[in-house]
């Protein structure tokens, strides 16, 4: 099943987890540590309101200067990550989180595309949309891995419900480490 189909069929908890996992993997671009989004994962696990956790995360993570893209797309990537956080719906209704999870999916793929050294600069949102629909040839390894992670998170929640959250978080942590390493390598290459 394609990522687009998984998003269309997912329930509220799976959609919220999918969007949160995308944001979690990209949190390093906002100066966040590994624990900043942990309370939101806990809210998903127990079904509680996450409004206070969202506000706390928004306050803890650095705002992004919209002064224009940096030399290698990191500023644009950070803007996309901040938009994921800022647009997270306070109320986790199925319709609200479906739109957010879909936007987060595309934003996370775009971030991985922008930061991948092997990426064709001419490739764009149309290619990423095609990948989400199931056309995965010619994806860079970094983007293909992000697409797989997004798919796995939604599959885990579809199969295991709330019981899949721990494994979904593990998938997200792995992806966060990969993206953090990419950002670090790029910073060392410029320094």
């Amino acid at each position: 099943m394609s990522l687009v189909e998984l998003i269309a069929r997912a329930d509220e908890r799976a959609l919220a987890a999918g969007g949160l996992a995308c944001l979690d993997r990209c949190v390093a671009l906002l100066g966040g540590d590994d624990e900043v989004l942990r309370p939101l994962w806990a809210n998903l696990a127990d079904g509680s309101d996450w409004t206070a956790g969202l506000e706390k995360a928004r306050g803890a993570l650095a705002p992004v200067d919209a002064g224009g893209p940096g030399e290698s797309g990191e500023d644009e990537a950070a803007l996309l990550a901040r938009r994921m956080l800022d647009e997270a719906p306070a109320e986790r209704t199925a319709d609200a989180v479906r739109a957010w999870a879909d936007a987060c999916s595309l934003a996370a793929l775009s971030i991985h595309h922008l930061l991948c050294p092997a990426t064709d600069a001419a490739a764009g949102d149309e290619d990423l949309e095609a990948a989400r629909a199931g056309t995965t040839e010619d994806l860079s390894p970094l983007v293909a891995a992000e697409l797989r992670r997004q798919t796995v998170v939604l599959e885990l929640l579809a199969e295991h419900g709330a019981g899949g959250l721990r494994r979904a978080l593990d998938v997200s942590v792995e992806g966060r480490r990969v993206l953090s390493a990419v950002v670090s390598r790029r910073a060392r290459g410029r320094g």
Side-chain angles (χ1 to χ4, degrees):
M1 193 177 307
S2 75
L3 183 58
V4 171
E5 292 169 320
L6 286 168
I7 290 171
R9 293 180 182 194
D11 66 10
E12 170 269 323
R13 187 188 313 258
L15 292 166
L20 183 57
C22 288
L23 174 59
D24 199 359
R25 287 189 292 277
C26 300
V27 77
L29 294 167
L30 302 175
D33 63 27
D34 291 355
E35 299 300 315
V36 73
L37 298 178
R38 188 69 61 138
L40 297 174
W41 284 101
N43 293 136
L44 283 181
D46 66 19
S48 65
D49 181 58
W50 73 354
T51 306
L54 275 175
E55 290 309 313
K56 188 174 180 180
R58 288 175 179 143
L61 295 171
V64 178
D65 179 17
E71 49 187 87
S72 59
E74 281 181 47
D75 289 345
E76 186 177 350
L79 285 170
L80 288 168
R82 185 64 199 203
R83 190 174 309 139
M84 280 191 267
L85 177 60
D86 289 345
E87 293 178 358
E91 292 187 39
R92 288 191 326 249
T93 63
D95 288 340
V97 290
R98 188 174 317 284
W100 179 65
D102 191 59
C104 288
S105 169
L106 185 57
L109 290 169
S110 295
I111 287 167
H112 285 74
H113 172 79
L114 287 166
L115 298 178
C116 184
T119 297
D120 173 9
D125 284 349
E126 301 83 28
D127 299 313
L128 298 177
E129 285 288 0
R132 290 174 2 120
T135 306
T136 58
E137 37 301 324
D138 299 327
L139 290 180
S140 71
L142 190 64
V143 174
E146 172 59 15
L147 182 66
R148 277 191 304 277
R149 284 186 195 94
Q150 289 185 24
T151 301
V152 166
V153 165
L154 291 174
E155 288 172 344
L156 283 168
L157 273 287
E159 292 172 22
H160 305 287
L165 282 170
R166 177 71 227 166
R167 289 175 44 204
L169 178 58
D170 292 343
V171 169
S172 187
V173 167
E174 172 200 350
R176 185 182 335 123
R177 289 181 184 139
V178 168
L179 194 63
S180 292
V182 169
V183 171
S184 293
R185 270 195 304 272
R186 290 170 65 91
R188 283 192 307 269
R190 285 193 309 268

